[in-house]
Amino acid sequence: MRQRTGELLGFTPRQRPPVKSQFANITLYRGLDLAGQLLNALATSPYLAAGSEDLAAFHRQASAVAQQMGAVTVSLVTQAGLQIVNTLFPFDSPPRPRSRPETVKAVFETGRPAVANLWRGPVTGIYQYGVDIPIWRDGRVLYDLAISMPFTR
C-alpha cells in the first residue's frame, strides 16, 4: 500500500500545519505528496550510490527533474548545513548554507523526513514550501535531500 507523504511525515489530518483556506490546504498537501514522491525517486539515483557517487551527474539529473516538475530548487545538504548540490546554481559554485537550518537539523537528528513551513526564498523571492528526506549510508544519515516547491494559490 502506498503511503501518502503526510502519513510518511507522521501527521494525521488534525496535526497537519494550519493553512488558512481549504483550497490552500488541498494545494499544499498535493504539493507535499508530489515533493515527497520526487525526492524518493531522486534518492534512488545511481549517482548517489556508495562507491560510485558522482555529484556533478546528480546535479544534472536533479536540475532536469526540478525544471520538468516546476520545483524552485533541489539540494543535497551536508550535516553542517552546506548545500553541496543546489540546482539554482552551477555545480561548481561554492557550497552555500541552507536557508532553513532547522529542517536540516531535524532530518539529521531524527533520521526522518521533515517539512519546512512556508517561507520566502532568499535568492528567488518566491514563496515556497519544502520537503527534506534523509539519505542513509552505512547506518547513518549522510545527506539531507531537499526540494522546494513554489506555493501558488
Side-chain angles (χ1 to χ4, degrees):
M1 178 171 92
R2 185 171 93 72
Q3 194 173 28
R4 300 182 70 65
T5 302
E7 295 165 357
L8 174 71
L9 297 172
F11 28 76
T12 65
R14 288 185 181 182
Q15 296 171 318
R16 289 181 179 154
V19 178
K20 292 188 178 186
S21 75
Q22 187 62 29
F23 177 74
N25 242 344
I26 292 168
T27 301
L28 181 60
Y29 295 118
R30 283 186 180 161
L32 288 172
D33 193 43
L34 173 63
Q37 290 175 37
L38 290 173
L39 288 179
N40 286 325
L42 279 172
T44 66
S45 173
Y47 304 123
L48 292 180
S52 63
E53 193 172 89
D54 182 346
L55 295 181
F58 180 74
H59 183 275
R60 288 190 300 274
Q61 180 184 30
S63 295
V65 169
Q67 183 177 16
Q68 183 177 13
M69 301 308 295
V72 176
T73 186
V74 173
S75 58
L76 192 64
V77 187
T78 66
Q79 189 167 7
L82 293 177
Q83 299 172 84
I84 56 174
V85 169
N86 182 325
T87 60
L88 282 177
F89 303 101
F91 175 70
D92 56 359
S93 297
R96 291 175 164 74
R98 178 82 189 280
S99 64
R100 308 294 296 180
E102 65 280 2
T103 310
V104 175
K105 182 179 178 185
V107 168
F108 279 95
E109 285 182 356
T110 67
R112 296 190 50 166
V115 174
N117 291 327
L118 289 173
W119 78 93
R120 189 172 191 168
V123 175
T124 64
I126 296 171
Y127 284 98
Q128 53 198 286
Y129 58 92
V131 176
D132 297 45
I133 66 169
I135 300 294
W136 290 87
R137 176 110 22 99
D138 300 324
R140 68 179 185 89
V141 178
L142 182 63
Y143 297 121
D144 170 347
L145 179 58
I147 190 167
S148 299
M149 301 293 287
F151 182 72
T152 57
R153 297 186 223 197

